Amino acid sequence: MSVNPDYLKEEREQEWRVVLRSQKKNKERTDLVRVHMTEVDPKIRVQSNIEVNQGLSEDDAVNEAQRCLDCPNPTCITGCPVEINIPKFIKNIERREFLEAAKVLKQTSTLPAVCGRVCPQEKQCEAQCFYTLKLKKEPVAIGYLERFAADYEQKSGKMAVPEVAPAKGIKIAIIGSGPAGLTFAGEMCKRGYDVWVFEALHEIGGVLKYGIPEFRLPNSIVDVEIDILKKMGVHFETNFVVGKTATIDDLKDEGFKGFFVGSGAGLPRFMNIPGENYIGILSSNEYLTRINLMDAANPNTDTPIISGKNVAVIGGGNTAMDSVRTAKRLGAERAMIIYRRSIEEMPARVEEIKHAQEEGIEFINLANPLEYYADEKGRVKQMKVQRMELGEPDSSGRRRPVPVEGSEYLIDVDTVVVSVGVSPNPLIPSSLPDLKMTRWQTIEVDDDKLQSSIPYIFAGGDIVRGGATVILAMGDGRKAAASMDNYIQNISK
Amino acid sequence: MNLNTTYLGIPVKSPIIVGSCGLTSTAESIIELANNGAGAIVLKSIFEEEIILDFEKNVLPKVGPMDNDLEFFDYYDYQIKDEVLHKYQSLIADVKKSVDIPVIASINCISNGEWVSYAKKLEEAGADGLELNIFKLPFDIKKSSEEIEHSYIAIIERIIEKISIPLAVKISPYFTNLGEFVKRLSLSGVAGIVLFNRYYSIDFDINNEEVISGGVFSGDKDYEMPLRWISIMNQKSNCELIASTGVHTSDNVIKMLLAGAGSVQVVSALYKEGSSYLKKMNSGIKEWMSSKGYETIDSFKGNMSQTTADKPEIYERVQFMRYFSDHKH
Amino acid sequence: MNKIVKKEFFSENVVRLVIEAPRIAKARKAGHFVIIKCGETGERIPLTIAAADKDKGTIDLVIQRVGVTSRKITELEEGDYITDLVGPLGQATHVEKVGTVLACGGGVGVAPLLPIVEAMKMAGNRVVTILAARSKDLIILEDQMRQFSDELIIMTDDGSYGQKGLVTDGMESVIKNEKVDLSVVIGPAVMMKYASMVTKKYDIPTMASLNTIMVDGTGMCGACRVTVGGKVKFVCVDGPEFDAHQVDFDEMLLRLSGYKDIEKEAENKYISNKCKSR
């Protein structure tokens, strides 16, 4: 699937865009300096869950939009998994048609306010921006602008409910209400299907709710997007584990014609080193779920949380950053990242690492835990860490960490959050013995169609990719919707 | 008459131990080896290096464009280790159910990281002993010989702390002062030292000017190196010495026992001749013993070691002078 | 939201709730559990299903008051609604005809044992059941158990009912009298630990149903992890039943104590707030 160049050209030649382009010389545009996102002061923000990035003002957004050259060949779009018409929405911001800009986003992205906050734009659209590629300058802040337009629409109270095609009367089931499932739901609903989303937890949103913390993505932002889906006619069933509460076969008997599995990455991985089951050592999933989904840090809720004074988070991904910054907010005196490679190799978004550093997170890089020690009550009190050095680059070009002999030392800890990745959720596959799986226990799908070995089952997001970003999951949801639509039209011919 | 001896302190009925190799990787072939009279078997090793390679060759390329899947694969090597370990644990459990000879687990490691803790898991799975093959390549020109030797001792000490089954360490001959190092190793708490392991060797194809694999199997004369060192180190080390490399015939086994080895590891000969060759080797030893009037292995073990020899200096000759004067064709 | 259609006190602190949950009632098998959450600010806790009525579309849960959450649940009345209920979760009990099954339940562990005893009996096994508790008033589900057991033995610590002694004493006497082919033990972790030590001594295959801390119940959080045969398992997706002889009960006991202090504090606060508001 790729954007039709003729369509882009046609759009670009619309009068208002031609006029807009002529209002400023390219030199004037490129001379402008990239906008700075207002952030809450680190000392203040670590005391609460306030969102770190405060968004752009209207004027800031318009100024930034002026930097965009409205290129004839907008390479930025190739960097976007859901192929947002980036120049079109940015130029709408430039001419202060903010709601129009949001509409452009909504054409291809179900959750623009989410993407504007959590996408690794520096690796995607912004990496493909003309400024980055040719001018070697800071790219247009596409992510900030996306967020601006989406927030503007949310705040305006004039949320556009996407148009929905006449009802086809065909029931479609979606398993999991995370970014892949929600996107798929939106896309299928637009096409006129009768869409049902089944969620195992008691809240809709998947990783957007239980995983990503409030200070990075407020739940209210997600809820607004979910409300739109509800208004479009998507049905949501919480507390429903497909494969357990009812199997796919049961649902087929109840009339569902197609299934989309977006059940995400479920099982947390551990390192299987001695002492890892002591009290106080938990997965990032458990830690973040207790805090984000169960609101455990709030004294008025029943879910308990133990978050200590010396918190070590193992790993270098976004989840690790979310966990360690959460620990800081829960009052840790020492909140540490322990990562076996160097900071350059970390999978986390650059912005998250930067924010973490500002907040006083200690980065203990080139270090790997070997063993945990507990007090007499079985509560973790120390960890033995081995220093690493970087050896030769491996096939991904990253340098392999090699242990340094005799470099072990102890760190005092009372909480350890293990954030070394997750394995795909086994609930669906285990209830479908015929479903083909990969070596990583992800569902095997056709790369283009996202169709599994069982033709009426499509899948996307982490259950297919293992562990990807929100935006890739959304891209999958979009792609799968198009191909399931095709599939259903073909079989009903 | 019997062939009773011990392997890492465990009583065995034959001094012939099947070394870690493809033949010791499945329960079926191990049962066959046991039925043919192996004294004990060393399971095919878990290779740390293999896991690293698998991770780098098969896993990391899966990291999607823009590093999107990096978080998933960043620590995936742990998952691979876990799977390998789990398979190995089931192999140990299966084999232990089917045979009554000692089953020795084997780890080939190149670092002293979390591998050490795996030793404990192999013990829990039922292994009778553990063989450690430390692949500190002597080619590392950044490390001094002292550092390399120290890392051996450090790994061994950490493992012994974790397990209660006997530990054997298999080493190469590439140490500056091999005798002193073997003695030091023998004091580190190991139950046995296996002399020596064979490194993968390379060769050149001069027509295509390519590097190719050298011989996979040991040669018929390769036993001479362990023979000399076992003879020298017998009674100078605090643990069992086990001969390995080039032990192809019952005569070789007898030589090793005479030198002072408690047992021998055999691999190449079994690949070439099949498992039933074990029977032949055992009976070869018995024939020789009866021709010499020995009832037990203990009665002749070490009889030809350096300490018991009339001319101990011969074991230490490094030049060929005497060879030319004494050796009779 | 699931409606409570019946509430019954087994004892002062043990309550049986019959809850409307048609899908769960239909899908559940012996050994399955549910996750229940009470109120918007409630905690998610696992409870094993004690019985179900497919036709009426209800399931039975037996709850013992031990903390804030279980208090809140037991304070609900007939006609009230459970905020969130999800299931059936976990792996169902492996049921087959093996010969004689010795089923041992301690405390409220008797509730999850009931469907297993029923299934074992239906599969054609001879079932000998031991119910154990501190005293007479804590023995529950005796009549239901008797219905599916060829023999029922009651053990109380204080001798106020049945025989005086621990569950292990009862087990020893059964095992000495007849050949037992399989044992099932469910109860507090300590009880399961010692009960499985008895069967290990006699080499009797034994399964235990573990009741660990859980958050989501679908494999996501890892709070429920236990070591079984040297390998880490998740009770929610791999269990809740495991080979009792392979379970590291000491580690499990330790992990169960993880939140004890906080929970006790929370419970005291809850009780005192309630008293104030009266």
Side-chain angles (χ1 to χ4, degrees):
Chain A
M1 202 158 52
S2 69
V3 194
N4 181 346
D6 293 337
Y7 159 78
L8 287 178
K9 208 174 152 193
E10 205 178 291
E11 285 283 341
R12 187 172 180 268
E13 291 312 319
Q14 290 210 346
E15 204 192 331
W16 68 270
R17 274 175 76 177
V18 177
V19 171
L20 210 55
R21 275 202 298 279
S22 68
Q23 281 173 358
K24 253 192 166 68
K25 291 202 184 81
N26 277 356
K27 177 76 173 72
E28 287 174 74
R29 293 183 189 274
T30 56
D31 278 350
L32 295 169
V33 186
R34 179 175 156 124
V35 67
H36 203 81
M37 172 69 83
T38 316
E39 294 166 356
V40 180
D41 184 88
K43 286 197 197 73
I44 294 170
R45 72 189 187 221
V46 295
Q47 316 217 350
S48 73
N49 261 332
I50 185 167
E51 193 178 4
V52 174
N53 284 342
Q54 289 291 294
L56 301 182
S57 68
E58 290 183 19
D59 288 343
D60 278 349
V62 171
N63 284 341
E64 182 63 20
Q66 286 176 358
R67 290 182 72 223
C68 172
L69 301 175
D70 198 5
C71 305
N73 174 24
T75 42
C76 50
I77 300 179
T78 60
C80 176
V82 296
E83 296 166 324
I84 289 175
N85 189 343
I86 293 168
K88 188 178 174 188
F89 99 80
I90 292 184
K91 290 298 118 179
N92 268 307
I93 294 178
E94 188 179 338
R95 65 163 176 165
R96 291 186 175 266
E97 289 291 344
F98 304 135
L99 288 175
E100 201 54 39
K103 216 181 226 174
V104 176
L105 294 172
K106 286 266 182 85
Q107 274 165 8
T108 56
S109 169
T110 317
L111 312 165
V114 173
C115 296
R117 287 173 166 80
V118 302
C119 272
Q121 289 99 359
E122 76 273 4
K123 289 179 180 171
Q124 299 180 328
C125 50
E126 294 182 15
Q128 303 301 320
C129 174
F130 186 77
Y131 279 78
T132 318
L133 295 177
K134 295 286 154 53
L135 303 178
K136 307 289 168 215
K137 281 187 171 183
E138 281 199 294
V140 174
I142 302 170
Y144 293 171
L145 291 174
E146 179 186 25
R147 172 179 159 171
F148 167 78
D151 283 2
Y152 184 90
E153 194 202 20
Q154 284 206 357
K155 277 182 220 142
S156 73
K158 293 175 200 150
M159 291 287 285
V161 178
E163 253 174 64
V164 172
K168 285 177 167 21
I170 299 174
K171 272 163 89 181
I172 298 297
I174 296 166
I175 299 146
S177 68
L182 292 179
T183 303
F184 184 90
E187 293 292 325
M188 289 305 267
C189 199
K190 279 185 205 166
R191 287 176 168 85
Y193 289 93
D194 186 10
V195 177
W196 291 73
V197 179
F198 297 98
E199 167 58 49
L201 293 173
H202 57 272
E203 282 228 32
I204 300 296
V207 70
L208 306 174
K209 284 281 179 65
Y210 74 75
I212 305 175
E214 194 72 9
F215 56 82
R216 199 147 79 81
L217 175 66
N219 280 348
S220 55
I221 297 285
V222 184
D223 285 333
V224 173
E225 310 271 19
I226 293 167
D227 272 348
I228 293 288
L229 289 169
K230 284 183 183 160
K231 282 187 185 143
M232 284 167 70
V234 176
H235 308 276
F236 288 99
E237 288 259 329
T238 52
N239 296 319
F240 196 115
V241 184
V242 176
K244 292 284 181 191
T245 311
T247 62
I248 285 195
D249 282 346
D250 294 336
L251 294 174
K252 251 187 109 205
D253 291 345
E254 291 175 28
F256 286 93
K257 297 289 180 230
F259 295 83
F260 176 76
V261 185
S263 52
L267 309 187
R269 290 205 292 254
F270 288 91
M271 293 170 77
N272 269 321
I273 56 176
E276 214 174 14
N277 289 344
Y278 286 135
I279 303 166
I281 304 179
L282 61 173
S283 73
S284 49
N285 269 2
E286 179 182 352
Y287 191 68
L288 292 173
T289 302
R290 281 180 186 270
I291 303 296
N292 299 335
L293 182 75
M294 307 309 297
D295 197 12
N298 177 348
N300 297 321
T301 63
D302 298 342
T303 305
I305 181 78
I306 296 173
S307 195
K309 294 289 163 213
N310 294 307
V311 183
V313 176
I314 319 300
N318 286 320
T319 320
M321 296 303 142
D322 287 345
S323 303
V324 77
R325 294 171 68 198
T326 298
K328 189 83 195 177
R329 282 159 175 77
L330 293 183
E333 282 156 16
R334 231 185 139 187
M336 300 164 263
I337 282 283
I338 297 185
Y339 184 56
R340 60 179 174 161
R341 302 177 201 250
S342 71
I343 209 156
E344 285 76 34
E345 280 86 18
M346 281 191 174
R349 282 178 79 205
V350 175
E351 189 181 48
E352 307 313 327
I353 298 174
K354 185 193 108 185
H355 284 163
Q357 284 169 326
E358 289 166 0
E359 288 164 12
I361 303 302
E362 218 176 304
F363 282 75
I364 303 179
N365 293 318
L366 291 168
N368 206 31
L370 284 184
E371 185 166 0
Y372 299 100
Y373 302 96
D375 63 15
E376 68 286 348
K377 283 181 170 168
R379 193 169 291 282
V380 65
K381 60 166 189 182
Q382 273 183 327
M383 64 194 287
K384 189 194 267 178
V385 164
Q386 182 170 45
R387 275 191 229 283
M388 312 293 275
E389 58 190 8
L390 290 179
E392 297 302 308
D394 56 36
S395 58
S396 72
R398 301 191 320 150
R399 292 171 66 200
R400 174 209 292 176
V402 185
V404 179
E405 306 289 353
S407 65
E408 298 89 347
Y409 66 106
L410 295 171
I411 301 178
D412 287 341
V413 286
D414 47 21
T415 302
V416 177
V417 180
V418 182
S419 184
V420 298
V422 283
S423 301
N425 198 311
L427 280 172
I428 295 294
S430 64
S431 67
L432 290 168
D434 293 338
L435 191 65
K436 257 203 200 137
M437 306 297 290
T438 66
R439 175 178 172 186
W440 337 110
Q441 293 310 302
T442 54
I443 296 179
E444 202 174 297
V445 292
D446 174 295
D447 278 350
D448 295 323
K449 294 190 201 139
L450 295 175
Q451 191 169 24
S452 75
S453 58
I454 300 174
Y456 52 84
I457 301 180
F458 293 69
D462 283 0
I463 191 73
V464 166
R465 297 170 175 272
T469 49
V470 167
I471 187 68
L472 277 185
M474 291 177 53
D476 287 352
R478 192 159 169 263
K479 216 164 154 185
S483 54
M484 188 191 283
D485 183 29
N486 254 333
Y487 163 79
I488 288 181
Q489 284 183 22
N490 278 334
I491 55 164
S492 42
K493 260 178 200 163
Chain B
M1 183 174 55
N2 65 57
L3 297 183
N4 291 353
T5 177
T6 59
Y7 186 63
L8 309 181
I10 310 163
V12 291
K13 292 205 169 79
S14 162
I16 303 174
I17 313 303
V18 184
S20 171
C21 64
L23 297 174
T24 58
S25 63
T26 65
E28 300 86 76
S29 59
I30 290 169
I31 293 168
E32 201 183 317
L33 293 165
N35 291 341
N36 278 296
I41 60 106
V42 184
L43 291 175
K44 183 168 167 55
S45 308
I46 305 186
F47 282 87
E48 179 180 10
E49 214 184 352
E50 201 166 77
I51 288 165
I52 293 173
L53 286 177
D54 184 19
F55 181 57
E56 292 182 356
K57 294 258 156 13
N58 302 320
V59 178
L60 287 177
K62 294 279 170 190
V63 172
M66 308 170 214
D67 284 357
N68 265 311
D69 303 336
L70 200 53
E71 195 163 340
F72 180 66
F73 287 118
D74 201 20
Y75 280 84
Y76 201 83
D77 49 332
Y78 278 90
Q79 182 85 11
I80 301 175
K81 280 177 208 166
D82 212 33
E83 284 162 17
V84 168
L85 194 68
H86 185 54
K87 249 190 235 162
Y88 204 70
Q89 285 174 309
S90 343
L91 175 67
I92 295 174
D94 283 355
V95 171
K96 281 299 291 175
K97 258 183 251 159
S98 334
V99 301
D100 53 8
I101 57 173
V103 174
I104 312 298
S106 164
I107 301 182
N108 274 30
C109 65
I110 53 177
S111 68
N112 76 347
E114 66 283 356
W115 278 87
V116 174
S117 67
Y118 291 3
K120 177 86 194 150
K121 302 198 175 184
L122 300 184
E123 176 179 14
E124 281 166 359
D128 297 298
L130 181 68
E131 180 175 291
L132 189 66
N133 216 325
I134 305 171
F135 270 73
K136 274 290 165 208
L137 294 188
F139 323 122
D140 187 345
I141 55 168
K142 282 182 230 135
K143 293 226 159 68
S144 70
S145 51
E146 200 184 343
E147 277 176 84
I148 292 176
E149 287 173 15
H150 175 76
S151 70
Y152 271 73
I153 306 279
I155 295 177
I156 290 167
E157 282 175 350
R158 286 196 52 202
I159 291 191
I160 286 178
E161 201 185 297
K162 301 275 176 214
I163 60 172
S164 49
I165 49 173
L167 178 71
V169 60
K170 195 171 189 175
I171 61 169
S172 78
Y174 306 113
F175 289 92
T176 311
N177 187 350
L178 183 60
E180 189 274 342
F181 183 57
V182 168
K183 180 157 174 52
R184 207 142 36 95
L185 275 183
S186 76
L187 290 167
S188 67
V190 295
I193 302 173
V194 185
L195 307 170
F196 297 101
N197 59 18
R198 272 165 53 76
Y199 285 132
Y200 171 86
S201 58
I202 59 158
D203 202 349
F204 287 170
D205 171 346
I206 55 170
N207 292 321
N208 296 313
E209 295 190 30
E210 268 175 3
V211 183
I212 55 170
S213 161
V216 178
F217 297 116
S218 54
D220 285 343
K221 286 282 179 185
D222 286 358
Y223 74 88
E224 291 173 354
M225 174 106 93
L227 184 67
R228 167 190 264 196
W229 284 101
I230 288 172
S231 311
I232 293 176
M233 294 314 296
N234 183 41
Q235 290 186 22
K236 291 187 190 115
S237 17
N238 278 38
C239 67
E240 283 177 27
L241 297 177
I242 298 115
S244 176
T245 302
V247 185
H248 294 179
T249 62
S250 47
D251 287 4
N252 292 164
V253 180
I254 295 160
K255 288 176 195 178
M256 294 301 178
L257 298 172
L258 283 168
S263 54
V264 301
Q265 285 192 1
V266 184
V267 171
S268 295
L270 297 175
Y271 264 105
K272 287 178 187 157
E273 312 285 343
S275 316
S276 60
Y277 187 63
L278 282 166
K279 271 188 186 149
K280 217 168 156 187
M281 288 177 95
N282 278 333
S283 57
I285 304 168
K286 281 185 186 163
E287 273 166 38
W288 177 82
M289 280 167 69
S290 75
S291 75
K292 292 282 177 181
Y294 293 125
E295 279 300 313
T296 64
I297 286 181
D298 275 343
S299 54
F300 67 92
K301 188 176 125 186
N303 277 2
M304 288 183 72
S305 71
Q306 187 187 29
T307 21
T308 48
D310 302 334
K311 284 188 191 170
E313 66 278 13
I314 199 168
Y315 293 83
E316 289 167 16
R317 277 235 77 96
V318 287
Q319 292 297 327
F320 283 101
M321 273 110 65
R322 195 177 286 265
Y323 177 93
F324 289 118
S325 55
D326 288 1
H327 194 80
K328 294 184 185 73
H329 280 278
Chain C
M1 299 281 270
N2 302 69
K3 193 175 171 184
I4 296 170
V5 293
K6 193 171 177 325
K7 180 181 180 181
E8 177 188 356
F9 278 90
F10 282 156
S11 68
E12 193 194 336
N13 285 318
V14 180
V15 170
R16 167 175 169 247
L17 295 179
V18 181
I19 302 165
E20 259 177 19
R23 283 210 188 254
I24 301 175
K26 195 175 146 207
R28 74 97 214 187
K29 289 196 174 74
H32 278 144
F33 67 94
V34 292
I35 292 270
I36 178 168
K37 175 172 163 282
C38 202
E40 284 312 314
T41 57
E43 181 187 6
R44 292 171 68 98
I45 62 158
L47 284 172
T48 308
I49 302 167
D53 188 325
K54 260 186 213 176
D55 303 328
K56 290 190 184 138
T58 59
I59 59 167
D60 288 17
L61 298 178
V62 175
I63 302 124
Q64 181 175 29
R65 280 185 189 165
V66 280
V68 173
T69 301
S70 51
R71 266 182 191 280
K72 281 190 180 173
I73 298 170
T74 52
E75 282 164 10
L76 293 173
E77 299 301 334
E78 285 175 13
D80 285 348
Y81 284 84
I82 306 272
T83 321
D84 293 284
L85 179 72
V86 59
L89 299 169
Q91 302 293 329
T93 308
H94 177 74
V95 177
E96 63 176 334
K97 187 174 173 184
V98 289
T100 300
V101 176
L102 175 60
C104 312
V108 279
V110 170
L113 187 64
L114 178 62
I116 298 173
V117 164
E118 178 182 351
M120 287 296 178
K121 181 70 200 161
M122 294 307 170
N125 293 291
R126 171 178 155 77
V127 181
V128 181
T129 303
I130 303 175
L131 303 184
R134 276 200 311 277
S135 58
K136 184 181 176 182
D137 54 327
L138 296 172
I139 294 286
I140 59 170
L141 295 168
E142 186 190 336
D143 294 341
Q144 290 91 327
M145 278 292 187
R146 202 175 292 282
Q147 196 186 332
F148 302 111
S149 307
D150 294 273
E151 200 182 326
L152 186 83
I153 300 164
I154 307 238
M155 305 290 301
T156 49
D157 295 5
D158 59 3
S160 53
Y161 190 45
Q163 300 174 37
K164 182 173 162 47
L166 299 171
V167 70
T168 44
D169 301 327
M171 292 172 77
E172 291 267 7
S173 66
V174 173
I175 294 167
K176 275 176 188 146
N177 267 329
E178 65 180 304
K179 182 175 173 289
V180 174
D181 300 288
L182 174 73
S183 180
V184 184
V185 297
I186 309 182
V190 187
M191 171 253 172
M192 291 194 280
K193 176 185 165 182
Y194 286 101
S196 63
M197 277 160 70
V198 171
T199 56
K200 186 159 185 156
K201 194 167 70 184
Y202 296 99
D203 223 6
I204 299 166
T206 301
M207 50 191 211
S209 177
L210 308 185
N211 47 353
T212 51
I213 295 169
M214 289 185 194
V215 183
D216 65 293
T218 60
M220 208 178 74
C221 77
C224 64
R225 62 192 194 275
V226 287
T227 304
V228 182
K231 205 170 154 47
V232 173
K233 297 276 183 192
F234 288 1
V235 172
C236 64
V237 287
D238 300 317
E241 277 161 27
F242 293 100
D243 176 349
H245 298 157
Q246 301 286 325
V247 174
D248 185 341
F249 281 109
D250 292 330
E251 182 189 272
M252 183 184 151
L253 277 160
L254 214 60
R255 286 183 61 76
L256 278 171
S257 71
Y259 290 97
K260 237 171 210 158
D261 298 347
I262 301 187
E263 267 163 10
K264 199 72 224 163
E265 202 181 303
E267 190 178 4
N268 291 339
K269 198 175 123 196
Y270 178 75
I271 295 168
S272 70
N273 280 348
K274 256 185 85 119
C275 295
K276 271 183 225 156
S277 65
R278 266 181 195 159

